[in-house]
Amino acid sequence: MSAFNAIGEEREIDRDEFTPEIEPQATWCPGCGDFGVLKALKQAMPEVGRTPEETLLVTGIGCSGKLSSYFKSYGFHSIHGRALPVARAAKMANPDLEVIAAGGDGDGYGIGGNHFMHTARENHDMTYIVFDNEIFGLTKGQTSPTSPKGHKSKTQPHGSAKQPIRPLSLALTSGASYVARTAAVNPNQAKEILTEAMEHDGFAHVDFLTQCPTWNKDAKQYVPYIDVQDSDDYDFDITDRGEASEMMQKAENALYEGEVLTGRFYHDEDRPSYQEEKQATGDMPEEPLAERYFDDDYEWERSYDLLERHK
Amino acid sequence: MTDDELIWRIAGGSGDGIDSTSQNFAKALMRSGLNVFTHRHYPSRIRGGHTYVEIRAKDEPVKSRGDNYNFLLALGDSFARNPQEEAYYGNEEIKPLTENLDELREGGVIVYDSGLLDASEIENFDERAEENDWHVYDLDLRGLAKEHGREVMRNTAGVGATAALLDMDLEHIKGLMSDAMSGDVLEANIQILEEAYESVNEDYEHTHDLRAPTGTQDEEQVLVSGSHGIAYGSLDEGCRFISGYPMTPWTDVFTIMTQHLPEMGGISEQVEDEIAAASLAIGASHAGAKAMSGSSGGGFALMSEPLGLAEMTETPIVLVESMRAGGSTGMPTKPEQGDLEHVLYTSQGDSNRVVFAPGDAAECYRQTRKAFEIAYEYQIPSIVIYDQKLSGGHQTVPEEVFDQEPNPDIGSVTTEQDLEEAVQEAGRFKRYMYDDEGERGGVSPRSIPGQKGGNFLASGNEHNEVGHISEDPDNRVLQMNRRMSKLESIRDELAENADHQTVYGPEDAEYGILSWGSTKGVVEEAVDVLNEQGHSVKAMNVSDMMPFAKDEVTAFLESVDEALVVEMNATAQFRRHVQGQLGRFGEKLYSLLKYDGNPFEPREVVSGFESRIGGEADLSQYNVRIESATGD
Ligand SMILES: Cc1ncc(C[n+]2csc(CCOP(=O)(O)OP(=O)(O)O)c2C)c(N)n1
Ligand code: SF4
């Protein structure tokens, strides 16, 4: 008996299934890069072959966090910076779910930075999409952790004195086993990368460059992208940590000099996911925990059997 | 202060094995048919530093620590310190003896390890002993242990000496030792035990009268802490997911759960911080597991926002709040009941959560089960709040308390068959359906990710019936009213199905004592003493903090002329909660407050009552304060 019949259903999947029938009025501004993420994600789902009902999309708070409102699946619009801890526990409770977490650069690299580091370290089998628009969108244009040094905003009127976060390098050093960067204006690559990220068996981090025409008018998101995989100038082995790290640093330096490098930066297919590691130590059941509550035949152990040590 | 009870105090350096030794000795007393209650005094240091464990054993039920104690086993502190440390802390080595003398009863017995302690270093020791009629036995416990094994076994020698002086049979102690160890170690320990026993009987003349009380308890008992009660209640209620971050004393529950979850097919996760911990519990529960998390004051503060998220998304979780003395990081190893308001009101907006405050280990078990049941039935976070005293103190509990069926029911969750017929809107499930007639007690249907036909959006933002973010005023009012109405439904259910408030003492008593949580036992002991002394007093211990047990507390307060409210904090949080919830009784209520880091002793409650109601009593010798209520 399965309690979750939607899981593993094999059939043709249409990307329109992921559109709510009555689409809530999208509150994103015209021209916002977030539309690109939504579209790429909907296009990737049929490729991955997962239905809306076996998919759980957990988002943080921000314009980016609204993704779960416009994407029809099981969704969880959580709190600022906390999408990852919610998502990874859902994955642990039911590893059969396709779990995706998403949020902004403020959400993921600022307030949720600690969770980012630790979720990557644990290498949970999930995909994390960060809408990187180098700005706080929803709260009206404050400096974000990826805003360039010198960036002026209402909260940093004299220009930010801080170096921006290096999300790709941070993901790699923290332990993510798949790291890529794509961009809303590059829909084909975005779809491919999201597909690959979801198919990857481990923590896949996608730094998704999105333009915010409302608050970040002169950002370099409009500059043409270079796909590192397509260009002869960048030859490196994405399975090699050292080479990947070097390429990431190149990309991170270049971004603020007006050159936008995107593509796959790191892919480690050998590292076991957290779930596999935890099962190997005997700390996690083989069967999904969530199934058990629907299984009438399951024998529940009692604390009474533990009392021997208290006598 | 009768001697029909043994209150045995073992004192030494923190890290000297005092804990395990006292656990075993307490069990030996329990096996001889006595009721037992333990109290652990910790310094906030990892190794070294003076510490003791007190074991109170009696044939009658024991519900708290006693007034003072009557047997001291002073082992000495074996952790050598450098001169600077000594200048700062003083000579720790002799502290196990010196620090404990003030509380030793007249006629009490002292056994000290002359291998480590030199009583002649202590000022006026002999005079004090004579004055108080203390019976002092000096034994080279360390020497004896060294001879047969290792120095650490001097604890065993101390237990052997205790048994001889109290006329105890060694059988139970030996039995416990062979449960815990084997081979050479066991043999050496048994030898030391017996030799100490014999040498005391042969070489020392017994000048004291104190003997171990005779136990007649024939019911099977187990020695457990409140934390065991909470952990076992969770396991029996089908909780198979816990996430946490260490913080004293919450770590007790976290550790016990972690020890058992993997073998029971569950998952325990130590995570990066408490925000993550609570968020993981939410994620696991959302995906269909029974989940818990918890912390102590500061860590619970970090859970404030996820707690609100659980309320708003109606994701069931159970959080444990194990109180220690605050504010801020306060006194990590000392009990206090200072987080009540924190737990009742933390998080933004109009809060809607369930809060239970169990009063003893058995209540910890039962109320934790109820907390899960309510959380999952009503899709609301439940909090179990208790304190360091109840967390670590062990007490004998009838085994049958734990002899209950497990309840793996996931609560109000829709099946896939039901989902086929369920109300949908625009291809989404009406997860947050209005409860127009109040038929479902405010509870809306819930689906779990992976279920066919159940997709919805859970959002911490205000949302409509399918979960989409909405700022529509009518929807807002309907959703708010539905969520808030759950508390009334829960109150009704608790009134019918739970018996969380306990009343103790003569029904027609003139005066009352009101308490909450772990002060239950000490108040009941005080009630016995007060009635014996000719007062007319009864007590009520309240556990249902939210929804508050309005009817029961009202009935109790109406039946008495005045009531003393006893709690371990400085600002009378519980008394103010009672007044706030009931909107009356201000003129009848007086607070007895203690917040020095130590739990109440019965005599403090007795004197507190007498100072206020029964006439006069001198409170100046205690760290307690009387305060009258304001308003009505
Ligand atoms: C604890 C907390 N702090 C602050 C906020 C306010 N807040 C909402 S979204 C946001 C920043 C959003 O920026 P980003 O994550 O980059 O997402 P974007 O809107 O650009 O997509 C902030 C500060 C909040 N909701 N919660
Ligand atoms: S503020 Fe910026 S990020 Fe937010 S919706 Fe508008 S364009 Fe997009």
Side-chain angles (χ1 to χ4, degrees), chain B residues 517-549:
Chain B
S518 77
T519 40
K520 177 185 179 197
V522 72
V523 165
E524 290 184 0
E525 295 229 351
V527 164
D528 285 341
V529 174
L530 285 165
N531 283 305
E532 268 165 41
Q533 290 176 357
H535 295 289
S536 171
V537 198
K538 62 180 174 180
M540 174 179 254
N541 191 257
V542 186
S543 289
D544 294 353
M545 294 293 148
M546 194 185 272
F548 190 67

Side-chain angles (χ1 to χ4, degrees), chain B residues 14 42-51 77 79-96 98-99:
Chain B
S14 179
Y42 306 80
S44 210
R45 292 169 67 184
I46 307 304
R47 299 204 115 199
H50 169 66
T51 180
D77 184 344
F79 288 97
R81 265 163 217 92
N82 60 38
Q84 288 98 313
E85 260 195 306
E86 189 154 319
Y88 184 72
Y89 292 111
N91 182 347
E92 296 264 325
E93 212 163 86
I94 60 167
K95 274 194 176 172
T98 54
E99 292 289 293

Side-chain angles (χ1 to χ4, degrees), chain B residues 531-574:
Chain B
N531 283 305
E532 268 165 41
Q533 290 176 357
H535 295 289
S536 171
V537 198
K538 62 180 174 180
M540 174 179 254
N541 191 257
V542 186
S543 289
D544 294 353
M545 294 293 148
M546 194 185 272
F548 190 67
K550 278 185 183 163
D551 292 348
E552 285 150 286
V553 180
T554 301
F556 179 81
L557 290 179
E558 276 177 345
S559 75
V560 294
D561 290 351
E562 280 185 359
L564 187 70
V565 188
V566 179
E567 57 186 316
M568 284 191 283
N569 62 53
T571 55
Q573 296 185 20
F574 173 58

Side-chain angles (χ1 to χ4, degrees), chain B residues 28 31 163 168-178 190 193-194 197:
Chain B
R31 286 188 183 182
M168 284 170 71
D169 191 349
L170 285 183
E171 276 325 293
H172 293 306
I173 299 168
K174 284 189 195 164
L176 280 156
M177 283 181 168
S178 50
I190 301 248
L193 183 77
E194 285 177 342
Y197 187 86

Side-chain angles (χ1 to χ4, degrees), chain A residues 3 5-6 9 53 69 73-75 77 88-89 114-115 274 278 290 292-293 300 302-304 309-311, chain B residues 27 31 223 232 236 238 265 268-269 272 280 290 399 404 408 416 428 450-454 456 458-459 468:
Chain A
N5 288 312
E9 210 183 346
E53 285 167 336
S69 297
S73 71
Y74 275 97
H77 180 234
R88 72 196 209 220
N114 195 24
H115 308 309
Y274 186 61
K278 213 166 152 84
R292 197 170 304 158
Y293 296 93
W300 289 84
R302 310 195 306 154
S303 73
Y304 193 66
R309 74 194 75 197
H310 300 290
K311 286 180 183 165
Chain B
K27 276 190 198 165
R31 286 188 183 182
L223 188 68
Y232 291 174
D236 285 352
S268 166
E269 273 288 286
E272 57 270 28
L280 262 92
K290 280 192 170 174
E399 192 184 359
Q404 310 296 332
E416 289 197 341
R428 290 204 121 166
Q451 283 186 324
K452 229 181 169 134
F456 73 99
S459 178
H468 283 298

Side-chain angles (χ1 to χ4, degrees), chain A residues 44-292:
Chain A
M45 293 312 299
E47 304 285 323
V48 184
R50 305 294 300 246
T51 65
E53 285 167 336
E54 62 186 325
T55 304
L56 175 63
L57 173 62
V58 184
T59 55
I61 296 292
C63 298
S64 47
K66 302 269 179 73
L67 182 73
S68 50
S69 297
Y70 313 140
F71 182 80
K72 190 177 120 185
S73 71
Y74 275 97
F76 201 116
H77 180 234
S78 68
I79 40 179
H80 197 33
R82 319 297 166 199
L84 285 174
V86 172
R88 72 196 209 220
K91 182 72 185 179
M92 293 175 86
N94 191 351
D96 290 346
L97 293 171
E98 180 66 41
V99 175
I100 306 162
D105 40 76
D107 189 85
Y109 306 144
I111 191 167
N114 195 24
H115 308 309
F116 176 50
M117 200 162 83
H118 287 274
T119 313
R121 162 167 93 109
E122 289 165 7
N123 197 32
H124 290 268
D125 178 16
M126 55 187 276
T127 300
Y128 184 38
I129 307 170
V130 179
F131 294 54
D132 188 355
N133 56 11
E134 298 176 18
I135 200 86
F136 279 16
L138 192 71
T139 45
K140 301 192 184 324
Q142 298 83 359
T143 309
S144 99
T146 50
S147 302
K149 193 165 172 222
H151 175 89
K152 286 189 180 160
S153 71
K154 280 188 192 152
T155 48
Q156 253 98 354
H158 306 295
S160 165
K162 301 179 197 187
Q163 282 290 344
I165 284 264
R166 295 169 160 264
L168 307 173
S169 302
L170 185 62
L172 182 76
T173 35
S174 302
S177 48
Y178 180 90
V179 185
R181 169 178 271 171
T182 186
V185 293
N186 194 352
N188 290 335
Q189 185 204 42
K191 175 187 122 184
E192 277 166 27
I193 283 183
L194 288 183
T195 306
E196 213 170 84
M198 283 189 269
E199 282 171 348
H200 171 69
D201 187 14
F203 186 72
H205 170 235
V206 181
D207 187 64
F208 206 122
L209 299 173
T210 51
Q211 65 276 21
C212 171
T214 306
W215 303 112
N216 206 7
K217 289 194 176 18
D218 36 53
K220 77 284 300 159
Q221 287 107 326
Y222 301 102
V223 177
Y225 293 94
I226 298 166
D227 184 332
V228 291
Q229 263 83 33
D230 274 356
S231 160
D232 293 337
D233 298 343
Y234 303 97
D235 181 31
F236 72 107
D237 177 2
I238 61 164
T239 65
D240 183 289
R241 279 187 90 83
E243 290 187 27
S245 163
E246 234 172 82
M247 260 317 293
M248 287 174 181
Q249 291 184 33
K250 242 179 236 170
E252 282 158 344
N253 290 334
L255 185 65
Y256 297 102
E257 282 147 22
E259 191 178 40
V260 184
L261 304 184
T262 64
R264 292 102 169 140
F265 288 86
Y266 185 61
H267 196 174
D268 177 356
E269 289 181 272
D270 299 328
R271 185 175 168 204
S273 69
Y274 186 61
Q275 173 195 344
E276 286 163 342
E277 302 268 21
K278 213 166 152 84
Q279 279 174 343
T281 61
D283 271 357
M284 193 171 157
E286 298 289 332
E287 296 297 314
L289 186 53
E291 287 266 346
R292 197 170 304 158

